[in-house]
Amino acid sequence: MKLLDILFGRTRPAKPTLERLFAMSTASVTLRVTLQLEFSGRAGLCFRPLPSSRFGAAEEEMRQLVEGPATDHKVDIRSCEDSYGFRWLVLEHPQVEELVALIHMSSLTLQEHRFGEQLLAGVFKFLEGERAVYWIYSYKRGTFYPFVPAAGERTRDTAMEMRLCALLEKELPIEADTSRWFPLWGIPV
């Protein structure tokens, strides 16, 4: 932070802490064994796009890197925009470890091109029967939090979210401030 930023009370967003994403690989085992939550095979990266050719080139490089790795299973990739204008890179692969690595690699690509502050969230989808249970990684905070939509319009199962946090607080960097557990309605993952 520069002196003028301090004097005028301006803050700059923190650089994303990308290595914390890898904690999801081990946490997924606990979710499966302890709570019978199965990984859906889907994950997503949400970021704020910029209308510049430099950003477009970074996004294309990110896409090529994700399509490039040789894996046992093909990674399905699609890109879409949500109703708020944020871009989503949605990945499908049966192994959570593979998707964690691809989300990390994609995030690193944007960060290397100096677009790290555009990263918003990494999302990993698990299933409890037919019900979706999401783990959201906040790039701005470097922490995870659960999001469990409940039956009904724009309601969430906060009891389940608290239970998930209690179970995984030793395995994941959990966001301590629950007011920052932002719901992501209409996740395309």
Side-chain angles (χ1 to χ4, degrees):
M1 194 178 297
K2 295 182 180 177
L3 180 61
L4 289 177
D5 292 334
I6 294 169
L7 291 174
F8 291 111
R10 294 183 296 222
T11 61
R12 291 198 174 140
K15 287 189 177 183
T17 311
L18 302 180
E19 283 66 37
R20 291 182 172 183
L21 274 168
F22 289 110
M24 182 50 68
S25 296
T26 56
S28 68
V29 175
T30 302
L31 289 168
R32 186 180 73 247
V33 172
T34 306
L35 292 173
Q36 289 73 47
L37 292 177
E38 292 297 324
F39 181 61
S40 70
R42 299 181 76 172
L45 176 64
C46 180
F47 54 94
R48 185 179 303 116
L50 291 174
S52 75
S53 60
R54 211 175 105 235
F55 186 81
E59 193 175 358
E60 181 57 32
E61 181 181 330
M62 179 177 63
R63 187 175 191 75
Q64 288 174 359
L65 283 170
V66 169
E67 290 173 343
T71 61
D72 294 339
H73 301 90
K74 183 182 181 311
V75 177
D76 291 323
I77 305 163
R78 70 181 168 85
S79 181
C80 62
E81 276 195 22
D82 64 18
S83 60
Y84 300 103
F86 297 123
R87 180 100 22 95
W88 287 83
L89 180 66
V90 180
L91 308 170
E92 289 187 49
H93 190 279
Q95 296 175 348
V96 68
E97 298 84 5
E98 187 71 29
L99 290 182
V100 168
L102 291 172
I103 294 286
H104 178 267
M105 187 171 50
S106 301
S107 305
L108 192 59
T109 300
L110 285 179
Q111 192 176 43
E112 286 173 349
H113 285 276
R114 298 187 179 172
F115 295 115
E117 63 276 355
Q118 301 307 112
L119 291 166
L120 300 174
V123 176
F124 300 90
K125 182 179 181 182
F126 291 83
L127 296 171
E128 180 185 50
E130 295 292 315
R131 180 165 82 159
V133 174
Y134 298 99
W135 276 97
I136 299 171
Y137 179 75
S138 169
Y139 284 97
K140 304 296 182 214
R141 307 280 290 182
T143 55
F144 283 93
Y145 65 92
F147 173 55
V148 183
E153 191 172 317
R154 294 193 179 251
T155 59
R156 56 198 293 184
D157 186 344
T158 53
M160 177 67 162
E161 292 174 357
M162 293 298 188
R163 185 172 160 220
L164 288 167
C165 283
L167 178 69
L168 292 174
E169 66 186 352
K170 290 184 172 49
E171 292 187 49
L172 288 175
I174 301 288
E175 174 58 57
D177 183 357
T178 58
S179 69
R180 293 188 169 272
W181 292 11
F182 301 113
L184 299 181
W185 303 111
I187 296 174
V189 174

